């Protein structure tokens, strides 16, 4: 399937960004690439993963948006979305893993999201994600403080 390479790329990029050390300074190219995959247009996603996105089906678009759903939901929902992720983690026995993944990623690309917004591919809605960026900054600051 054409989207398999995209799915794998998104998962690998998301994971590596979320677990990058917070003190590590990411290059502009890394920030742009991650932003493109998580929040960009289909054209931007295609450039980031080296794939022509002009021919993907509606089902593939839906699958791509599903991969981006947590990031988008946290950006829109802020603290409530983070709490929902924690609740889900408690039910699934994964704890705060989802919050750390989402907030680590949002913390890394937050300035790009504030500048350009984050696109929901299915609905065409865009958010600047102020609530989510602020909530994730608090989460990441708390994690950093505990590491000291």
């Amino acid at each position: 399937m054409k989207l398999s390479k995209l799915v794998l790329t998104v998962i690998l990029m998301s994971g590596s960004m979320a677990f990058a050390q917070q003190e590590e300074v990411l290059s502009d190219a890394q920030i742009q690439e991650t932003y493109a995959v998580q929040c960009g247009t289909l054209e931007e996603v295609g450039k980031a993963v080296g794939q022509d996105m002009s021919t993907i089906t509606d089902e593939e678009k839906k699958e791509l948006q599903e991969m981006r759903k947590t990031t988008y939901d946290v950006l829109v929902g802020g603290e409530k979305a983070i709490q929902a992720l924690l609740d889900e983690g408690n039910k699934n026995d994964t704890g705060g893993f989802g919050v750390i993944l989402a907030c680590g990623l949002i913390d890394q690309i937050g300035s790009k999201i504030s500048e350009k917004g984050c696109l929901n591919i299915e609905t065409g809605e865009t958010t600047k994600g102020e609530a989510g960026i602020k909530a994730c900054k608090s989460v990441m600051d708390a994690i950093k403080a505990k590491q000291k």
Side-chain angles (χ1 to χ4, degrees), residues 97-135:
F97 183 73
V99 171
I100 294 168
L101 263 173
C103 284
L105 187 102
I106 290 168
D107 190 55
Q108 294 284 359
I109 63 172
S111 61
K112 187 63 84 176
I113 294 169
S114 293
E115 175 189 330
K116 294 179 73 175
C118 189
L119 174 69
N120 179 314
I121 293 171
E122 282 187 300
T123 65
E125 295 175 33
T126 301
T127 182
K128 294 283 186 165
E130 293 92 356
I133 291 170
K134 182 179 177 183

Side-chain angles (χ1 to χ4, degrees), residues 15 21 26 30 52 78 89 115 119:
Q21 292 181 345
L26 297 177
Q30 289 171 312
D52 178 13
E115 175 189 330
L119 174 69

Side-chain angles (χ1 to χ4, degrees), residues 19 82-101:
F19 289 113
I82 288 172
Q83 185 59 54
L85 273 177
L86 284 172
D87 293 344
E88 182 181 324
N90 289 333
K91 289 178 190 173
N92 298 333
D93 211 21
T94 57
F97 183 73
V99 171
I100 294 168
L101 263 173

